[in-house]
Amino acid sequence: MRKTARYSALAAAGLLALSSLTACANDAASTTADSGGGGGKGEHVKIMVGGLDKVIYLPAMLTQRLGYFEDAGLNVELLSEPAGVQAETALVSGQVQGAVGFYDHTLDLQTKGKAVESVVQFSHAPGEVEIVSAKRAGDITSPKDFKGRKLGVTGLGSSTDFLTKYLAVKNGVPVSEFTPVAVGAGPTFVSALQKGAIDGGMTTDPTVATVMEKKLGKVLIDMRTPEGSQKALGGPYPSSSLYMQTDWVNGHKETVQKLANAFVKTLRWMAGHSASEIAAKMPADYSQGDQALYAGAIESTLPMFTEDGVMPENGPETVEKVLKAFNPNIRNADVDLSKTYTTEFVKKAVG
């Protein structure tokens, strides 16, 4: 799963030819989640996740573990790629029916002629953290110091790439003056930091918790809370979500409603349980042998999640502002934000 060089090449290529996309999605099928692999009862739906073990995408696996997909009459197969950009490409290729990744991909895809919309919004903050290597902590004290640096992102064209570019441009550093490096998350990110392959980078929990525990870096910008999002980005930033191709949504409304019901039920369950209780429901290997550290990582990230799956007010506008700051395709496009998300299904689920 962590073939870093291969994934870096895929991410750099963006939307590849259909044959390449199909190969990518087929390879990903080997990373099927441990619960639910297409053999259960109910309508079979495949969802690609931009990193199943990332806390920002925790509702996907947690819904599976709680049995809420099955309760809704669905047999959901969860697949995993290391970065949201690969989840996006698998969705666009038609290899999966849904993707769990950042909402910002829906705007980017619209400018490329692809109609994709968020149907359940898991979050109102990015859940991301900009970390600086302990060796560079004295030199990089704000994004103004990104010039000439090698900064880790999960994948080129990923949401960590987008946010890194925004923070740089906002602080006077053109995107041409630093080098984004695709290093994935988890052990590959930690290794890149240890070896000096990157001076810092953007990542999420549990990677953040591991870096702090090993004293390999320090937090420069923390966007795991709505307050952190407001400070860094100027508003709520809807990030992790379930997004799907609009045509598929319109043609399968009953199925999408079942998915929304299951995910909203999970978000409500999360709001009523502790980080330790949530951690206990997750696959054992997600904690990497340290359950207390993993529970702490969840606790740090919990504030990012919504309780109802509804798009936060003014959230799409914040995302558009961020993307326009560095992305000429979006800056020069007339993006119809109303077509990038729908609240039809989550409002019924809440009701």
Side-chain angles (χ1 to χ4, degrees):
M1 177 170 144
R2 302 191 182 279
K3 298 177 181 177
T4 307
R6 173 173 172 263
Y7 289 139
S8 298
L10 283 172
L15 292 173
L16 304 177
L18 181 58
S19 60
S20 297
L21 288 170
T22 302
C24 172
N26 287 344
D27 287 348
S30 65
T31 62
T32 303
D34 65 347
S35 7
K41 296 180 181 179
E43 184 178 357
H44 185 203
V45 179
K46 289 193 288 186
I47 297 176
M48 184 67 75
V49 184
L52 265 171
D53 57 351
K54 295 177 184 175
V55 177
I56 57 172
Y57 300 141
L58 181 148
M61 178 56 77
L62 183 58
T63 303
Q64 190 82 278
R65 302 284 286 189
L66 291 171
Y68 291 164
F69 289 136
E70 186 177 356
D71 290 348
L74 297 173
N75 172 28
V76 172
E77 183 177 0
L78 296 175
L79 307 172
S80 186
E81 286 279 15
V85 67
Q86 280 102 39
E88 171 195 298
T89 55
L91 176 70
V92 173
S93 76
Q95 296 304 298
V96 296
Q97 288 76 51
V100 170
F102 269 37
Y103 160 73
D104 54 22
H105 291 293
T106 67
L107 280 72
D108 187 47
L109 286 169
Q110 189 181 117
T111 68
K112 298 170 182 173
K114 306 292 183 181
V116 174
E117 61 188 17
S118 165
V119 295
V120 183
Q121 194 59 52
F122 297 161
S123 61
H124 46 192
E128 301 282 354
V129 176
E130 183 68 28
I131 285 178
V132 178
S133 164
K135 299 174 184 177
R136 298 283 180 261
D139 303 325
I140 305 175
T141 58
S142 85
K144 293 178 181 179
D145 301 320
F146 282 177
K147 184 176 180 179
R149 303 298 182 180
K150 294 176 293 183
L151 301 175
V153 296
T154 52
L156 303 180
S158 67
S159 297
T160 52
D161 189 21
F162 291 165
L163 288 170
T164 301
K165 287 176 177 174
Y166 173 74
L167 292 174
V169 170
K170 179 188 175 186
N171 287 276
V173 180
V175 295
S176 60
E177 293 189 359
F178 71 94
T179 304
V181 183
V183 294
T188 53
F189 183 97
V190 173
S191 177
L193 205 60
Q194 281 178 316
K195 295 177 179 178
I198 55 175
D199 300 306
M202 190 168 292
T203 191
T204 60
D205 277 310
T207 308
V208 176
T210 300
V211 170
M212 295 298 105
E213 194 266 339
K214 293 179 178 292
K215 298 185 178 2
L216 296 174
K218 76 167 199 174
V219 173
L220 184 67
I221 298 172
D222 192 339
M223 296 179 285
R224 289 176 290 188
T225 66
E227 294 78 15
S229 176
Q230 179 72 40
K231 183 177 179 181
L233 307 173
Y237 197 92
S239 56
S240 56
S241 65
L242 170 68
Y243 62 87
M244 313 179 88
Q245 296 201 62
T246 300
D247 285 347
W248 199 90
V249 171
N250 292 336
H252 300 80
K253 289 201 170 188
E254 184 177 344
T255 303
V256 177
Q257 187 62 62
K258 289 177 180 178
L259 286 167
N261 292 346
F263 277 124
V264 169
K265 193 175 179 181
T266 296
L267 291 169
R268 286 177 158 176
W269 187 93
M270 288 169 62
H273 290 77
S274 69
S276 295
E277 290 170 324
I278 295 170
K281 290 290 184 180
M282 302 301 286
D285 61 328
Y286 282 22
S287 68
Q288 297 180 25
D290 193 331
Q291 192 73 357
L293 186 70
Y294 181 56
I298 292 175
E299 186 170 8
S300 296
T301 306
L302 275 179
M304 73 174 279
F305 293 107
T306 67
E307 295 184 17
D308 54 13
V310 176
M311 177 65 71
E313 187 176 356
N314 300 322
E317 288 80 4
T318 304
V319 172
E320 183 181 32
K321 178 197 72 174
V322 166
L323 297 183
K324 280 183 178 292
F326 66 87
N327 188 324
N329 292 333
I330 294 181
R331 186 186 306 126
N332 300 324
D334 185 16
V335 177
D336 187 343
L337 293 176
S338 69
K339 293 181 178 179
T340 61
Y341 70 98
T342 177
T343 58
E344 173 186 351
F345 304 98
V346 289
K347 287 190 174 178
K348 286 181 181 177
V350 170

